[in-house]
């Protein structure tokens, strides 16, 4: 007769065997009805307060529009949204990202707007192999040294719009320029891109000026620009700060005297508030008004109907983040555990965007056209393509 101890030991061995078989089977079986009924958890980490608040809201709205156009589901799975306001504060990025990754256990992180915050998010996304889609922040690092199989961007690298604007200014044969921006990754990297193209065309940068983000005390800089008398000025500002800068530039009497240029964020989503002070400003960006393609016209009409507002570049980037996610989910029939297969499909995606079709580089950054645009009324009217199929150099990416 066996003792209770011996019987218990045998039972434990059988249980361990059954458990191992069950675990192995989960990997090969199709989703059960209850798994398929589980919603895909999308974690929005975006700024809902501060100078970039309107950008964050627009991205979320357009993402939801794309999902709604797919019947509220992606690859047959319903979507559940989780939201964190990142306040555009890099110091809070680890804590805020972990709210979505560890507390809410989201399947995908969608964020963010501010480059410094995005760098903090990307570090956690890499460590935890959480899918991350960046719908704005241009930090060069994200698709440079921090690039990863699970990190994708549907917007731009900071270098790209800076380079395209510098090319426009060099083509205009300006000899000298002064730059002004917020002192953080986005501004500094856009200025670097600008300088590369401007200097290649023979231009000289007289002075690089910065102020802390999100400071808007522009007066001392405007006084200095007036005294330096460059041929042109290049700036990066966005959101509420861009509205104030364009108004202050005109109020200082510089409009019409020293041509003001910038990456397109200077006048995108801001024209209503900037009014007459923005008229004629030339910028470069991967989106413009007046593209008049069937895809863009349909997107603009749908966005206007849903939100009673004109879409801008942030809306396009948010919309395309959802389109990219759909491509990944469809490749794995909604089974997010098949990460490798999903990332592969996303990396190879050809996205039918309102901006025009684009693909992703090896580092997962859009390879896309940059438009030259000029403000006319309430539009950033395309005046043609400034740089075709511009790819970020992806310095330091080891994919
Ligand atoms: C950035 O921080 O990367 C950024 C913010 C607003 C507009 C464009 C870029």
């Amino acid at each position: 007769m066996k003792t209770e101890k011996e019987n218990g030991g045998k039972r434990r061995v059988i249980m361990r065997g059954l458990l191992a078989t069950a675990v192995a089977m989960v990997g090969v079986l199709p989703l059960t009805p209850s798994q398929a009924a589980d919603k895909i958890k999308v974690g929005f980490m975006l700024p809902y307060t501060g100078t970039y608040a309107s950008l964050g809201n627009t991205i979320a709205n357009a993402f939801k529009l794309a999902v709604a156009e797919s019947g509220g589901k992606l690859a047959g799975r319903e979507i559940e949204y989780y939201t964190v306001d990142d306040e555009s504060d890099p110091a809070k990025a680890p804590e805020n990202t972990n709210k979505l990754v560890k507390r809410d256990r989201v399947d995908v992180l969608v964020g963010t707007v501010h480059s410094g915050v995005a760098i903090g998010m990307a570090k956690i996304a890499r460590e935890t192999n959480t899918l991350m889609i960046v719908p704005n922040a241009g930090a060069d690092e994200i698709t440079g040294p921090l690039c990863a199989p699970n990190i994708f961007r549907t917007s731009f690298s900071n270098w790209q719009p800076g380079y395209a604007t510098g090319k426009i200014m060099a083509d205009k044969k300006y000899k000298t320029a002064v730059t002004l921006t917020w002192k953080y990754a986005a501004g500094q990297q856009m200025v670097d891109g600008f300088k590369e193209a401007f200097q290649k065309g023979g231009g000289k940068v007289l002075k690089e000026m910065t102020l802390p983000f999100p400071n808007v005390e522009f007066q001392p800089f405007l006084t200095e620009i007036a005294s330096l008398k460059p041929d042109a000025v290049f700036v990066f500002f966005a959101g509420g700060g861009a509205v104030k800068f364009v108004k202050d530039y005109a109020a200082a009497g510089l409009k019409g005297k020293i041509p003001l240029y910038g990456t397109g964020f200077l006048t995108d989503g801001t024209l209503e508030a900037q009014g007459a002070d923005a008229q004629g400003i030339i910028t470069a960006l991967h989106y413009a008004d007046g593209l008049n393609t069937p895809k863009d016209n349909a997107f603009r009409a749908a966005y206007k109907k849903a939100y009673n507002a004109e879409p801008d570049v942030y809306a396009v980037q948010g919309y395309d983040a959802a389109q990219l996610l759909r491509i990944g989910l469809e490749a794995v029939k909604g089974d997010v555990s098949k990460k490798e297969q999903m990332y592969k499909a996303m990396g190879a995606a050809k996205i039918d965007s309102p901006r025009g079709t684009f693909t992703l580089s090896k580092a997962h950054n859009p390879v896309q056209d940059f438009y030259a645009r000029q403000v006319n009324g309430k539009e950033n009217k395309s005046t043609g393509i400034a740089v075709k199929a511009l790819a970020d150099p992806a310095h330091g990416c080891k994919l």
Side-chain angles (χ1 to χ4, degrees), residues 52 55 113-115 136-138 156 158 184 186 190 236 238 265 314:
Y52 289 161
L55 288 58
V113 168
H114 184 287
S115 277
N136 183 72
F156 57 91
N158 288 323
Y184 81 99
M190 285 187 211
F236 160 70
F265 313 104
Y314 309 106

Side-chain angles (χ1 to χ4, degrees), residues 365-399:
N365 191 63
V367 178
Q368 56 194 340
D369 296 343
F370 276 77
Y371 300 97
R373 310 120 41 93
Q374 183 157 31
V375 176
N376 184 352
K378 289 189 183 156
E379 291 193 320
N380 286 287
K381 272 263 183 225
S382 168
T383 56
I385 291 176
V387 189
K388 188 126 195 78
L390 185 60
D392 177 83
H395 296 304
C397 173
K398 301 230 166 60
L399 276 184

Side-chain angles (χ1 to χ4, degrees), residues 67-289:
V67 172
E69 284 178 351
S70 300
K73 294 181 178 180
L74 297 180
R77 307 253 329 247
E78 274 180 49
I79 304 297
E80 186 164 37
Y81 296 104
Y82 292 76
T83 297
V84 167
D85 177 8
D86 67 37
E87 302 168 52
S88 295
D89 185 348
K92 294 184 185 157
E95 187 193 335
N96 281 331
T97 310
N98 277 328
K99 283 184 192 160
L100 293 168
V101 172
K102 300 216 166 114
R103 182 193 65 192
D104 301 333
R105 303 189 151 277
V106 298
D107 296 302
V108 51
L109 274 173
V110 176
T112 186
V113 168
H114 184 287
S115 277
V117 179
I119 288 172
M121 289 177 77
K123 287 181 182 158
I124 293 175
R126 275 167 69 102
E127 281 160 23
T128 57
N129 193 16
T130 306
L131 173 59
M132 174 173 173
I133 305 178
V134 182
N136 183 72
D140 291 345
E141 293 86 341
I142 304 268
T143 49
L146 287 177
C147 74
N150 57 310
I151 299 179
F152 297 82
R153 181 149 56 192
T154 56
S155 50
F156 57 91
S157 75
N158 288 323
W159 176 88
Q160 286 178 305
Y163 183 90
T165 311
K167 167 94 172 43
I168 292 174
M169 292 173 69
D171 288 349
K172 295 237 178 223
K173 304 287 177 225
Y174 293 124
K175 288 280 160 262
T176 58
V178 164
T179 68
L180 175 61
T181 184
W182 282 314
K183 190 174 171 58
Y184 81 99
Q188 287 168 331
Q189 293 170 351
M190 285 187 211
V191 167
D192 287 345
F194 156 73
K195 281 197 309 188
E196 190 177 325
F198 189 59
Q199 290 169 345
K200 210 192 296 178
K204 188 170 170 225
V205 176
L206 299 181
K207 186 151 188 184
E208 294 177 43
M209 302 190 293
T210 59
L211 71 166
F213 174 86
N215 206 325
V216 289
E217 292 309 314
F218 298 122
Q219 201 48 53
F221 303 98
L222 297 171
T223 305
E224 195 164 1
I225 289 169
S227 77
L228 286 167
K229 294 192 180 52
D231 289 349
V233 172
F234 169 87
V235 300
F236 160 70
F237 293 109
V243 171
K244 173 124 188 333
F245 182 77
V246 165
K247 295 194 88 55
D248 286 4
Y249 197 85
L254 292 173
K255 182 172 167 57
K257 283 210 185 106
I258 303 178
L260 173 62
Y261 287 77
T263 48
F265 313 104
L266 185 65
T267 54
D268 230 79
T270 53
L271 290 177
E272 195 78 50
Q274 288 164 335
D277 295 338
Q279 295 309 301
I281 294 179
I282 294 174
T283 60
L285 206 61
H286 47 293
Y287 188 55
D289 295 313

Side-chain angles (χ1 to χ4, degrees), residues 48-67:
Y48 292 102
T49 51
T51 199
Y52 289 161
S54 70
L55 288 58
N57 279 302
T58 301
I59 288 167
N61 282 346
F63 186 102
K64 289 177 178 171
L65 173 66
V67 172

